[in-house]
Amino acid sequence: MKFFIDTANLKHIGEAKDLGILAGVTTNPSLMAKEGISGDEAIRGHYEKICQLVEGDVSAEVLSVSYGDMIKEGEKLASIHPNIVVKIPMIKDGVKALKYFSDKGIRTNCTLVFSAGQALLAAKAGARYVSPFLGRLDDISTDGLSLIEDIRIIYDNYLYETEILAASIRHPMHIIECAKIGVDVITSPLTPILNLLNHPLTEKGLAQFLSDAKKLS
Ligand code: G3P
């Protein structure tokens, strides 16, 4: 299972990269706005910086919702760097755009996926990644993990090459459960990734080892 970071914050991306386990980055318009990035040039420049920082796929989301505009915008985004993956919303024009980009060999990430039917359409249209939003389903008392299990079964049944990219991760247990299901990628903010490190017995054991180590010299 690959680890992507879900942020446009360069400091967080750098910190995850320094851990040595980072395989990619996902962003969305909300995450870009949070960093104060606005306007075509600034957006382009920010993606260039992320691509220089990380060796791996970087999802860049289109802001348009009509087929023609998504194609124009997606092609511009894809021209920024070979690692850019064009992120397309799961709407009717989005499915058409996924197919267009797939036919052209441009990789895509189908976002805002909340049902198995949507994930099936994304795979049929040739999306490279499908992003089911785990936390947002949990937020409305719906079982996000069971959706991801369903997508895994469907994709395995037909050997679809679309990778399941579990998104909207809120805590370390989401990451563990996704690994148990066998998703291909999780994308998470920095904190849930760092929280995987924590265990009180590790801290207690290390304190004991360090204390005993002083007796050895
Ligand atoms: O990037 C898409 C997704 O990960 C958003 O997560 O926390 O806003 O539901 P969240």
Side-chain angles (χ1 to χ4, degrees):
M1 184 174 81
K2 286 174 279 190
F3 275 49
F4 287 4
I5 190 165
D6 193 29
T7 186
N9 182 290
L10 298 176
K11 195 167 162 278
H12 286 191
I13 295 170
E15 197 174 332
K17 184 195 169 188
D18 286 348
L19 265 180
I21 54 145
L22 191 64
V25 178
T26 53
T27 64
N28 62 39
S30 309
L31 294 171
M32 293 293 273
K34 205 168 153 190
E35 300 308 314
I37 316 294
S38 74
D40 283 358
E41 281 317 301
I43 290 172
R44 194 178 176 89
H46 201 70
Y47 283 131
E48 280 167 1
K49 283 184 197 159
I50 295 175
C51 290
Q52 278 157 16
L53 195 57
V54 176
E55 269 179 53
D57 286 350
V58 174
S59 287
E61 188 159 342
V62 297
L63 308 178
S64 331
V65 288
S66 74
Y67 174 72
D69 289 344
M70 277 191 271
I71 298 306
K72 273 188 231 149
E73 204 187 331
E75 282 180 338
K76 266 194 200 162
L77 289 170
S79 74
I80 295 173
H81 192 277
N83 288 351
I84 290 283
V85 174
V86 180
K87 205 170 176 187
I88 302 277
M90 172 34 79
I91 53 176
K92 196 197 252 182
D93 278 19
V95 173
K96 288 160 64 182
L98 290 171
K99 181 71 172 78
Y100 172 89
F101 286 122
S102 165
D103 288 347
K104 285 199 79 176
I106 293 175
R107 290 164 313 131
T108 52
N109 173 356
C110 180
T111 189
L112 290 168
V113 167
F114 295 96
S115 77
Q118 291 176 329
L120 181 57
L121 280 176
K124 295 288 293 176
R128 179 75 176 87
Y129 298 102
V130 67
S131 289
F133 277 27
L134 184 48
R136 289 194 197 183
L137 281 168
D138 289 357
D139 288 345
I140 58 157
S141 309
T142 305
D143 189 355
L145 287 169
S146 109
L147 166 65
I148 291 176
E149 280 170 346
D150 286 349
I151 299 172
R152 180 74 284 160
I153 291 167
I154 292 168
Y155 283 11
D156 288 350
N157 278 348
Y158 297 101
L159 304 177
Y160 287 131
E161 286 177 7
T162 303
E163 292 191 40
I164 303 174
L165 195 171
S168 189
I169 298 276
R170 300 281 162 76
H171 51 73
M173 282 313 293
H174 272 158
I175 301 177
I176 304 292
E177 292 301 330
C178 283
K180 283 160 71 178
I181 292 167
V183 309
D184 303 287
V185 192
I186 57 95
T187 190
S188 165
L190 183 61
T191 303
I193 296 174
L194 294 180
N195 282 345
L196 289 171
L197 282 165
N198 299 334
H199 198 287
L201 290 178
T202 304
E203 283 158 33
K204 189 178 165 201
L206 183 62
Q208 183 72 56
F209 285 156
L210 291 175
S211 156
D212 289 340
K214 287 184 190 148
K215 300 172 195 166
L216 303 178
S217 54

